[in-house]
Amino acid sequence: MKTNDVVRYRVYELIVEIASVSSESLNYCTTSGLVTQLLRELTGEDVLVRATCIEMVTSLAYTHHGRQYLAQEGVIDQISNIIVGADSDPFSGFYLPGFVKFFGNLAVMDSPQQICERYPVFLEKVFEMADSQDPTMIGVAMDTVGILGSSVEGKQVLQKTGTRFERLLMRIGYQAKNASTELKTRCLDAVSSLLYLSPEQQTDDFLRMAESWFSSLSRDSLELFRGISNQPFPELRCAALKVFTAIANQPWAQKLMFNSPGFVEFVMDRSVEHDKASKDAKYELVKALANSKTVAEIFGNSNYLRLRTYLSEGPYYVKPVATTAVEGAD
């Protein structure tokens, strides 16, 4: 990268920072001609410059006035068209991830339904990337699905794609089992985001949807994630525990956990977590279960009391070792 490139990018970064403050400051920046220049580079021929510029345009889209400006100037349509044309561009791998992320963020800020209806190529591309052999593309697809699925409206948009989304879930389950540690973690984060429902979101329809999504991930999804949570990598363990925490307040998941041999013991067993992050993650799971309205009924009162005890003892409790001599030892 040439020195003048570095300077140029730094100027763009500053311009975006200033433009993000208010619509007045954005007007001031557009008058300078620098915003227009940045947007020209976004659609220009240099794919590496494109990749850098989309990150800055994404920052601008974090503000309401920034999004309005991008829509008015036709920039969002241009980005959509570039994604459409990416199929015939052998170098699209450089900038495509950033362009798809841009739409993922846009969907969350605005309305997942409106963005996905107005720019159908966005979801189309996410499904395509998930099926790719390239870990970079798969990773971006996982992150984007996680972002989309973090809101109820986004979950509905995904649900409407029917069997395509079911296939994508199977793909996520497959990658969670077989990919590199880093990609596995991103898959697990996406699953947590997709499956979480707050108590007020738990209508019969959404609970049924979450249950069917969970079962689409793998032949035995509970065992898949339990296996991952027993692996010696803290980031994987924590990500798998987060999946359990995401569904812990849903009755169907509690029944599944309760009926899975040894699962309740696994939740209560403090000796399996060795590092702080894993202990914290396990504690969040216990907390989510203990605070649920249905757990006493499903897990039974004695298990419910054990959860409450775990909760009150805190994440780092160590059981005092009994020192009494065993009778008949001498």
Side-chain angles (χ1 to χ4, degrees), residues 86-194:
D87 286 346
S88 55
D89 179 2
F91 299 107
S92 63
F94 287 111
Y95 58 82
L96 203 54
F99 277 49
V100 169
K101 272 185 203 161
F102 169 81
F103 271 109
N105 286 308
L106 203 61
V108 176
M109 309 271 187
D110 269 350
S111 141
Q113 193 181 343
Q114 281 175 344
I115 294 296
C116 293
E117 278 174 7
R118 185 155 177 206
Y119 304 104
V121 68
F122 161 55
L123 257 191
E124 200 47 54
K125 210 58 183 172
V126 172
F127 283 127
E128 223 174 89
M129 287 164 102
D131 274 336
S132 150
Q133 297 304 312
D134 176 351
T136 310
M137 296 297 173
I138 300 169
V140 172
M142 297 305 148
D143 297 347
T144 309
V145 166
I147 288 175
L148 263 179
S150 60
S151 71
V152 163
E153 191 184 312
K155 291 185 202 319
Q156 286 169 306
V157 168
L158 291 167
Q159 174 74 343
K160 274 194 198 127
T161 63
T163 50
R164 292 200 70 179
F165 187 60
E166 254 172 66
R167 277 212 308 280
L168 178 74
L169 288 166
M170 287 159 71
R171 188 90 179 119
I172 294 176
Y174 174 82
Q175 295 292 348
K177 200 176 182 167
N178 301 300
S180 67
T181 299
E182 190 250 355
L183 189 48
K184 277 179 182 165
T185 308
R186 288 163 80 177
C187 292
L188 294 168
D189 288 344
V191 171
S192 300
S193 175
L194 286 167

Side-chain angles (χ1 to χ4, degrees), residues 9-10 15 88 97 115 142 167 169 212 240 242 262 286 293:
Y9 294 148
R10 191 62 202 119
I15 285 287
S88 55
I115 294 296
M142 297 305 148
R167 277 212 308 280
L169 288 166
S212 94
K242 250 173 62 183
V286 169
K293 291 188 169 57

Side-chain angles (χ1 to χ4, degrees), residues 240-254:
L241 286 166
K242 250 173 62 183
V243 171
F244 292 137
T245 308
I247 56 176
N249 63 357
Q250 302 178 39
W252 64 266
Q254 291 173 2

Side-chain angles (χ1 to χ4, degrees), residues 1-256:
M1 197 182 271
K2 301 189 288 295
T3 322
N4 56 351
D5 281 347
V6 176
V7 174
R8 194 164 86 239
Y9 294 148
R10 191 62 202 119
V11 171
Y12 288 154
E13 273 178 1
L14 287 169
I15 285 287
V16 167
E17 274 174 38
I18 297 166
S20 298
V21 177
S22 66
S23 40
E24 289 76 37
S25 59
L26 173 61
N27 286 340
Y28 175 76
C29 293
T30 47
T31 320
S32 75
L34 282 163
V35 175
T36 324
Q37 195 181 322
L38 164 65
L39 297 175
R40 255 209 312 276
E41 304 235 36
L42 190 61
T43 52
E45 292 307 303
D46 189 327
V47 291
L48 292 173
V49 172
R50 230 182 233 190
T52 312
C53 291
I54 189 69
E55 285 182 24
M56 299 176 200
V57 174
T58 302
S59 314
L60 189 59
Y62 281 128
T63 63
H64 181 65
H65 65 272
R67 287 197 295 281
Q68 270 183 321
Y69 172 77
L70 292 171
Q72 276 159 9
E73 295 295 309
V75 178
I76 301 176
D77 293 329
Q78 278 177 323
I79 294 173
S80 171
N81 291 336
I82 289 175
I83 295 178
V84 173
D87 286 346
S88 55
D89 179 2
F91 299 107
S92 63
F94 287 111
Y95 58 82
L96 203 54
F99 277 49
V100 169
K101 272 185 203 161
F102 169 81
F103 271 109
N105 286 308
L106 203 61
V108 176
M109 309 271 187
D110 269 350
S111 141
Q113 193 181 343
Q114 281 175 344
I115 294 296
C116 293
E117 278 174 7
R118 185 155 177 206
Y119 304 104
V121 68
F122 161 55
L123 257 191
E124 200 47 54
K125 210 58 183 172
V126 172
F127 283 127
E128 223 174 89
M129 287 164 102
D131 274 336
S132 150
Q133 297 304 312
D134 176 351
T136 310
M137 296 297 173
I138 300 169
V140 172
M142 297 305 148
D143 297 347
T144 309
V145 166
I147 288 175
L148 263 179
S150 60
S151 71
V152 163
E153 191 184 312
K155 291 185 202 319
Q156 286 169 306
V157 168
L158 291 167
Q159 174 74 343
K160 274 194 198 127
T161 63
T163 50
R164 292 200 70 179
F165 187 60
E166 254 172 66
R167 277 212 308 280
L168 178 74
L169 288 166
M170 287 159 71
R171 188 90 179 119
I172 294 176
Y174 174 82
Q175 295 292 348
K177 200 176 182 167
N178 301 300
S180 67
T181 299
E182 190 250 355
L183 189 48
K184 277 179 182 165
T185 308
R186 288 163 80 177
C187 292
L188 294 168
D189 288 344
V191 171
S192 300
S193 175
L194 286 167
L195 295 177
Y196 176 74
L197 293 168
S198 68
E200 51 281 358
Q201 290 165 350
Q202 293 187 16
T203 61
D204 288 347
D205 283 350
F206 278 130
L207 286 167
R208 263 200 303 275
M209 183 183 81
E211 183 174 6
S212 94
W213 285 5
F214 185 77
S215 61
S216 298
L217 289 161
S218 185
R219 269 210 312 274
D220 187 344
S221 304
L222 198 77
E223 275 313 300
L224 167 68
F225 298 126
R226 185 149 115 190
I228 297 171
S229 69
N230 286 328
Q231 290 189 3
F233 308 105
E235 65 271 38
L236 274 182
R237 296 176 78 98
C238 292
L241 286 166
K242 250 173 62 183
V243 171
F244 292 137
T245 308
I247 56 176
N249 63 357
Q250 302 178 39
W252 64 266
Q254 291 173 2
K255 287 176 186 146
L256 212 57

